[in-house]
Amino acid sequence: NAGVMQNPRHLVRRRGQEARLRCSPMKGHSHVYWYRQLPEEGLKFMVYLQKENIIDESGMPKERFSAEFPKEGPSILRIQQVVRGDSAAYFCASSPIGTSGTYEQYFGPGTRLTVT
Amino acid sequence: GIQVEQSPPDLILQEGANSTLRCNFSDSVNNLQWFHQNPWGQLINLFYIPSGTKQNGRLSATTVATERYSLLYISSSQTTDSGVYFCAGVLYGNNRLAFGKGNQVVVIP
């Protein structure tokens, strides 16, 4: 059973470009979460999605960031017009269908974004 | 939001030593997980432990939900145990994990 997959593992973008990060949840999981780890900081929640629905985006920056989880295909975290402060490790997690909070989240290997 | 405090922030261990890491929560959680972030940056799930005690090899964890804390025990530490250990919890009625700042563990041969 493959785990959570993220690609690319490393991404370099110049200031002003767009970054697209992809996440394929574990088989049978329909809940996806994105977290960000800034240098020297802990992990912070960004957004929680189910298929075709954004459930909680309270951790997303108001501008330039968006996320989707279409009916078919991976979840995408999109960052427009990247700035140096966006350089971080972005982790995706998934969980099976279940009641609120009472399930384990499984993490992918992360995408390390570097903005030059 | 919920506050998660981990102690000690930094720990240096001689290979073979035992250690205990602690995680305190400011509010009750109904999901508690421990992770190990290895030197390559990957997050490894260690335990899902909202309450009780679990063991996996040289690692074990105990959560006392009524007192809002969890402990991670590392026995007979090895150099491969080096890295950062995170605990994280989900507030009741919520879905997002709130992480502590981690315990940086270095095991020296």
Side-chain angles (χ1 to χ4, degrees), chain A residues 26-41:
Chain A
M26 286 180 70
K27 188 176 181 181
H29 289 193
S30 61
H31 299 220
V32 165
Y33 314 79
W34 286 93
Y35 295 83
R36 177 167 68 171
Q37 185 175 32
L38 290 163
E40 307 303 320
E41 292 190 20

Side-chain angles (χ1 to χ4, degrees), chain A residues 9-10 37 40 89 91 109 112, chain B residues 35-44 46 78-86 103-108:
Chain A
R9 296 290 303 278
H10 300 274
Q37 185 175 32
E40 307 303 320
F91 289 92
R112 274 140 193 90
Chain B
F35 301 89
H36 176 218
Q37 187 166 38
N38 64 24
W40 296 271
Q42 293 180 315
L43 271 176
I44 311 297
L46 294 178
Q78 300 178 0
T79 55
T80 51
D81 295 331
S82 296
V84 183
Y85 291 81
F86 290 102
N103 309 94
Q104 173 81 58
V105 173
V106 175
V107 181
I108 55 177

